[in-house]
Amino acid sequence: MDKVYSNMEGAWSANEFAALLRKFPEGQIGIEDNGRLVAAALAIIVDYSKFGDKHTYAKITGNGKFDTHDPEGDTLYGVDVFVDPEYRSLRLGRRLYDARKELCENLNLRAMVAGGRIPGYAAYAGEMTPAKYVELVRNKELTDPILTFQLANEFHVRKIIRGYLPYDSESKAYATLLEWINVYYDEETDKLIGNQKSNVRIGIVQWQMRATASLEDFFQQIEFFVDTVSGYKADCVLFPEFFNAPMMALVEERSASAAIRQMSAFTEPIKTRMMELAVSYNINVIAGSMPVYEDGMLYNVSYLCRRDGTVDEQYKLHVTPDEASYWGMRGGDKIKCFDTDFGKIGILICYDAEFPELSRLLSDQGMKILFVPFWTDTKNAYQRVRICAQARAIENECYVAITGSVGNLPRVENMDIQYSQSAVFSPSDFAFPHDAIVAEATPNTEMTLIADLDLDLLKDLNTSGAVRNLRDRRKDLYGVSWVKKTERDDELLSQGEERQPSTKPTRRKVVAAALSTD
């Protein structure tokens, strides 16, 4: 310390070191060379809300007594870092900061904060403000012996403080307030049971389209796959878009548009059955998508049936030209990021995955896994979904699971052939599979796919990936926002709550009740 701070009052007293070691020994880290201390990082824990961003070094350290240390605090405060001048250029400072970050994570602290000197500013004080100097250092137009190092260690500047160290003539008494965010911080107290998982197991069903004799027969097919996937202790199971298309063969309408409207009468009983299966098999069920006919309009809706008994829904927003011309289908007007017991997820139905704005909106709400149930009839149609899904995984730093149906339905107009190869995609970086494919099904074969997803890898990617798509966005130049507020925004209940069914009987409910007795 005497060597490093020869122009700033030199080393601390022995009592000051003793006080720090007595209060927080784990936070004092040193590097030795054959028994000789050559570098050190000193820290305390504080409740940062008690000090705020305008604190001074003397205030936050208790004038060197360190009675501000609070074991129940939320922030690791960097008191000092120094390296013997004879041992510089060995990246010892980086080693110390890496150790501090690990300490911060293991103690579950929100962040690491420090006041950083800017000794290079003295040479420019007559020609620019401290803010301009910091900006030039950040842009690598200038180099500061301390700030450049701090920025290279993933700190960001919260603000500039005046009077932080009044005797620091090199910095003109200015300092940068630096912060490193602990992305693993869990502000919720750990529960004995029911903590959110960092490793998630998902199951997807590559569904075989086949003729079905009745609704009960169809239920048996659904339960078989829910049972199978839940047997692997999966957290959720995903079905394809329009997986209930075999029910269309049970209606007598010849016109495609009339047939799908009659088929929508099956949606409510199927949804109810899948809600029951979700609870009884202890697995979250993403019920692909099914047609819904309400208020004289036809929609395509995916249901999230949680294993706690709640249900939510995502309407398909973009209908294809084929869906519009054959069926007169309409697009929904709301997108939602869903809370589940294994993290935040999004659901985009088929064509919706080909519009990057939607997944970006979900990503901004914290989505970690995107589920894409699809229906495609040809390989080139499938490739559009697949390639776009892979792009969504990379640009949003999330996992994407896609699944469709296979086989054929000879008696069902406009849904008679299918093409699918279900898959789970990851971002593309060293921690993930080399081809960014976590798992992949055999094309055009009925099967299930089970995949384990490590959500912590997404946090690492966001902070230290080879590229960081989310952090490197130029928000000063562009952005994505939801521009239309609709009546549906007010009608839909909050996430995790089931929409209350109407007590008034409707034609659809009457037909559904009759069909459920077959």
Side-chain angles (χ1 to χ4, degrees):
M1 241 189 192
D2 277 332
K3 290 180 183 179
V4 173
Y5 299 121
S6 58
N7 60 341
M8 289 179 59
E9 302 182 349
W12 293 356
S13 69
N15 287 338
E16 289 173 314
F17 282 113
L20 198 56
L21 287 166
R22 183 173 59 254
K23 293 178 182 294
F24 185 33
E26 302 89 344
Q28 321 317 318
I29 307 166
I31 298 177
E32 292 183 346
D33 178 14
N34 291 315
R36 175 188 174 189
L37 186 70
V38 297
L42 313 175
I44 57 176
I45 298 173
V46 297
D47 180 349
Y48 195 73
S49 63
K50 294 180 179 179
F51 300 95
D53 287 349
K54 294 184 178 180
H55 62 268
T56 64
Y57 183 81
K59 181 179 179 181
I60 206 161
T61 61
N63 292 309
K65 296 178 182 178
F66 307 110
D67 50 13
T68 52
H69 172 69
D70 180 0
E72 303 301 319
D74 64 350
T75 301
L76 185 69
Y77 195 87
V79 172
D80 208 340
V81 172
F82 50 92
V83 179
D84 188 315
E86 296 178 28
Y87 286 80
R88 288 177 181 165
S89 300
L90 296 177
R91 295 184 173 84
L92 300 186
R94 183 179 296 275
R95 297 278 190 91
L96 291 169
Y97 272 106
D98 286 346
R100 264 189 182 172
K101 292 173 185 176
E102 187 176 355
L103 180 68
C104 192
E105 292 170 359
N106 290 338
L107 292 175
N108 191 36
L109 299 175
R110 179 191 63 81
M112 178 171 26
V113 174
R117 299 174 58 231
I118 46 175
Y121 178 60
Y124 298 91
E127 54 186 282
M128 66 181 70
T129 64
K132 183 63 176 178
Y133 176 77
V134 169
E135 180 185 355
L136 292 175
V137 173
R138 184 189 289 121
N139 294 337
K140 302 192 182 302
E141 300 290 336
L142 295 175
T143 300
D144 183 272
I146 293 179
L147 180 57
T148 298
F149 169 74
Q150 303 276 21
L151 295 175
N153 277 276
E154 301 175 339
F155 280 83
H156 70 271
V157 178
R158 282 178 65 108
K159 67 176 299 178
I160 297 172
I161 307 174
R162 172 143 193 175
Y164 181 74
L165 286 171
Y167 48 84
D168 182 6
S169 58
E170 290 180 321
S171 305
K172 299 298 182 183
Y174 289 102
T176 55
L177 185 63
L178 300 152
E179 182 177 49
W180 174 84
I181 300 294
N182 175 18
V183 297
Y184 300 109
Y185 173 61
D186 181 7
E187 54 186 320
E188 298 289 337
T189 303
D190 282 351
K191 298 178 287 185
L192 294 178
I193 298 173
N195 289 309
Q196 196 167 96
K197 299 183 174 184
S198 59
N199 288 289
V200 176
R201 176 166 293 177
I202 67 171
I204 57 183
V205 178
Q206 187 156 275
W207 175 267
Q208 172 79 43
M209 291 291 193
R210 56 169 63 86
T212 185
S214 65
L215 185 62
E216 189 58 40
D217 182 40
F218 188 71
F219 284 163
Q220 290 178 11
Q221 295 176 41
I222 295 172
E223 185 168 4
F224 168 78
F225 283 108
V226 173
D227 184 9
T228 299
V229 175
S230 70
Y232 291 101
K233 307 297 183 185
D235 294 291
C236 72
V237 57
L238 171 67
F239 286 83
E241 180 184 24
F242 290 134
F243 71 101
N244 65 334
M247 306 306 298
M248 198 180 294
L250 298 183
V251 303
E252 297 181 356
E253 291 287 348
R254 293 186 177 181
S255 139
S257 60
I260 196 168
R261 281 164 174 76
Q262 281 209 4
M263 187 183 82
S264 68
F266 292 99
T267 294
E268 191 66 27
I270 293 173
K271 182 188 78 170
T272 300
R273 181 59 177 154
M274 296 188 98
M275 290 166 54
E276 295 170 353
L277 294 174
V279 174
S280 61
Y281 284 95
N282 190 29
I283 187 170
N284 299 286
V285 178
I286 300 171
S289 79
M290 296 180 281
V292 171
Y293 189 57
E294 58 185 14
D295 300 326
M297 294 184 184
L298 182 68
Y299 298 98
N300 187 359
V301 183
S302 178
Y303 293 101
L304 168 61
C305 303
R306 299 182 182 87
R307 52 186 162 193
D308 65 0
T310 59
V311 65
D312 222 320
E313 60 194 22
Q314 177 62 60
Y315 283 61
K316 187 174 185 177
L317 303 185
H318 299 86
V319 298
T320 65
D322 186 78
E323 290 169 333
S325 62
Y326 264 86
W327 298 329
M329 188 164 278
R330 303 286 294 272
D333 52 30
K334 187 178 181 67
I335 192 168
K336 302 171 73 174
C337 182
F338 301 105
D339 286 313
T340 72
D341 54 17
F342 59 92
K344 290 183 178 291
I345 69 168
I347 302 171
L348 294 180
I349 304 171
C350 197
Y351 195 29
D352 282 344
E354 298 175 31
F355 296 84
E357 298 88 348
L358 298 182
S359 56
R360 180 50 49 87
L361 289 168
L362 292 171
S363 178
D364 285 341
Q365 296 176 59
M367 174 194 69
K368 300 304 178 188
I369 308 174
L370 175 63
F371 292 93
V372 181
F374 69 87
W375 174 83
T376 53
D377 54 351
T378 62
K379 186 171 183 179
N380 61 337
Y382 163 74
Q383 285 292 98
R384 289 195 295 269
V385 175
R386 179 190 178 98
I387 293 170
C388 289
Q390 289 184 284
R392 303 297 86 87
I394 291 171
E395 66 200 13
N396 294 297
E397 298 176 357
C398 67
Y399 294 103
V400 180
I402 68 172
T403 194
S405 52
V406 302
N408 57 73
L409 290 170
R411 293 179 54 202
V412 178
E413 183 182 358
N414 200 41
M415 297 196 71
D416 47 351
I417 60 173
Q418 330 282 323
Y419 185 98
S420 174
Q421 184 179 16
S422 302
V424 181
F425 304 119
S426 73
S428 184
D429 212 327
F430 300 115
F432 301 95
H434 72 94
D435 54 3
I437 301 173
V438 178
E440 198 170 31
T442 303
N444 291 331
T445 301
E446 184 174 51
M447 63 182 293
T448 59
L449 201 61
I450 308 295
D452 286 340
L453 308 180
D454 187 343
L455 301 186
D456 284 345
L457 292 180
L458 301 179
K459 297 178 182 179
D460 293 337
L461 176 68
N462 182 257
T463 57
S464 56
V467 294
R468 289 165 280 190
N469 294 75
L470 289 180
R471 294 183 65 182
D472 291 343
R473 285 177 292 165
R474 289 292 304 276
K475 292 184 177 180
D476 57 323
L477 298 179
Y478 57 83
V480 178
S481 61
W482 192 261
V483 297
K484 183 179 181 181
K485 178 175 173 58
T486 67
E487 293 180 3
R488 188 179 299 279
D489 290 326
D490 299 322
E491 291 172 357
L492 294 181
L493 299 180
S494 61
Q495 293 181 11
E497 295 182 353
E498 183 178 359
R499 295 180 72 188
Q500 296 299 316
S502 171
T503 56
K504 181 180 178 182
T506 63
R507 181 191 63 81
R508 184 177 58 176
K509 290 184 178 179
V510 171
V511 173
L515 289 169
S516 65
T517 62
D518 289 351

